[in-house]
Amino acid sequence: MKVCVIGTGYVGLVTGVCLAEIGHDVICVDKDESKVSSLMEGKIPIFEEGLEELVKSNVKKKSLVFDAETSSGVAKSDIVFICVGTPPLPSGKPDLTAIDDVARMIGKSLNGYKIILNKSTVPIGTAKRITKIIRENQEGDQGFDIVSNPEFLKEGEAVKDAFFPERIVIGSGSKKAINMMKELYGPIIRQDFDYASGNSHRKKQVPILITDSTSSELIKYASNAFLATKISFVNEVANICERVGANILDVTYGMGLDERIGSRFMKAGIGWGGSCFPKDVRALSYTAEEYGSPASILNAVIQVNNQQRFKIIQKAVDMLGIIEDKVIGVLGIAFKPNTDDTREAPSVTVINKFLELGAEVRVYDPIVRDYPDSMDRGALFVTDAYKAVEGADLMVLVTEWEEFLTLDFNRIKGIMSEKNIIDGRNFLDKKMLRELGYKYMGIGN
Ligand code: NAD
């Protein structure tokens, strides 16, 4: 099928390459011309395992092309994906400017029946809003159907999630659109495309859920809000553990043995961040308020998360006393490992607060090499973990990158000024570190 994907970020680029790989002809468009030029030169603007090779091979096969012209991409396609950002406004309400712009552009470019699939995470009613904008902007009376098709990929595992999703949700009332969606996603549903063969993530079959667009939009928000709730809940229990002398690792293990609870997404730490959970939980809370059903649990989930980042600061004060003039090495900037995304990353809050308290802060991340927008530029970026902690009074682990597990803590012992470690993710080997003479603090243990 001929497909146009509008917005070439984490979701759009991964969706586009996945559809090209399973046999469709895909045009990926983006209004950011420099991004499009980079992609045309084979430079991938985001870090996702396996993405670069897939983009290159599909560009070579000509099943994937890039363009900065949305109108021509739409005109040449039968199916149009909307994958633009929906960032939060200060009130928590999602900013739909990009969605509205794209809907106008699609309306103006319609030259025959098309299916418009929305993959961006959007508030309840957005499918209807897009329909209205397209109708107001189309010149003829070409038919079209809007489908809500939320995306559930996880950054850091986006390629795997696109090919081997846990479910495909289709929100639409049109039989024609639903049938075309089943055809479009056929190879994914049946798991019979080349890339799947021999892949350990291959599934027997991917479930497809057909529902109305409002339920589909809500499935996305409610899923993210539930996952965020799980983490905030565990963090609250971790804080109780610290007060009563229990160990959160044992507590969550014991809880997780109950199949109704499960062991996944039960890690205590300094809270969630990224481009999805913070904005999606706030957006659902905003919608709940708007529709007269205030979401008390969601508001508490946000509050617990906002406080959790400051556990690092409290622990640093417990270890070091006054923070002024102390040297602190921070390991990890990305909001989670295996991604370069720093949007709403806990690291930024932690680093900014240390700087505000007068510390000298050195930061290292295996992939992030530039200051996130909201990070105080007083922090010094260094090129490896050892440089971050040389002469430091404290090491703070913020992101659980695999490479931090293989650090030589014997060597580090010799180069730090004081042997203090705060492990914001309970990631390092506490027993080994204490045996080496470090003062180690995790979260909830
Ligand atoms: P992103 O910021 O990485 O990418 C969005 C892209 O859209 C950018 O490249 C931007 O230049 C482009 N764009 C904006 N306006 C445009 C326009 N008018 N025409 C053409 N291109 C335009 O965003 P993302 O992380 O890919 O997220 C996109 C949507 O998917 C959001 O609603 C997000 O909540 C949702 N989502 C994201 C993830 C994730 O893990 N990142 C997962 C599931 C769902």
Side-chain angles (χ1 to χ4, degrees), residues 7 9-11 30-31 35 84 86 121 151 155 276 279 343:
Y10 289 87
V11 169
D30 202 289
K31 69 166 187 187
K35 197 180 244 188
V84 295
T86 46
T121 304
E151 178 54 59
E155 284 176 20
C276 292
K279 89 173 165 58
R343 290 176 278 187

Side-chain angles (χ1 to χ4, degrees), residues 6-13 29-32 35 46 70 82-87 97-99 101-102 119-122 150-155 220 224 275-276 279-280 335 341 343:
I6 307 177
T8 315
Y10 289 87
V11 169
L13 186 56
V29 300
D30 202 289
K31 69 166 187 187
D32 181 342
K35 197 180 244 188
I46 53 169
T70 304
I82 302 178
C83 302
V84 295
T86 46
T97 310
I99 295 275
D101 287 348
V102 166
K119 262 200 178 297
S120 297
T121 304
V122 290
E151 178 54 59
F152 300 98
L153 65 76
K154 302 180 280 301
E155 284 176 20
K220 174 64 193 175
N224 272 1
S275 64
C276 292
K279 89 173 165 58
D280 294 351
F335 84 94
D341 200 339
R343 290 176 278 187

Side-chain angles (χ1 to χ4, degrees), residues 317 320-326 357:
V317 171
L320 305 175
I322 299 291
I323 300 295
E324 179 89 36
D325 291 335
K326 297 286 185 328
L357 292 174

Side-chain angles (χ1 to χ4, degrees), residues 59-80:
V59 166
K60 205 169 162 195
K61 282 190 278 176
K62 297 199 167 47
S63 49
L64 179 64
V65 295
F66 297 100
D67 202 331
E69 274 291 317
T70 304
S71 50
S72 68
V74 172
K76 287 178 202 157
S77 305
D78 310 311
I79 295 186
V80 179

Side-chain angles (χ1 to χ4, degrees), residues 247-282:
N247 183 342
I248 190 66
L249 299 174
D250 290 342
V251 172
T252 46
Y253 179 69
M255 289 168 66
L257 290 173
D258 183 331
E259 282 180 8
R260 293 169 304 171
I261 298 173
S263 58
R264 293 181 70 193
F265 244 68
M266 295 281 278
K267 284 195 188 138
I270 56 164
W272 36 271
S275 64
C276 292
F277 284 8
K279 89 173 165 58
D280 294 351
V281 182
R282 284 205 294 272

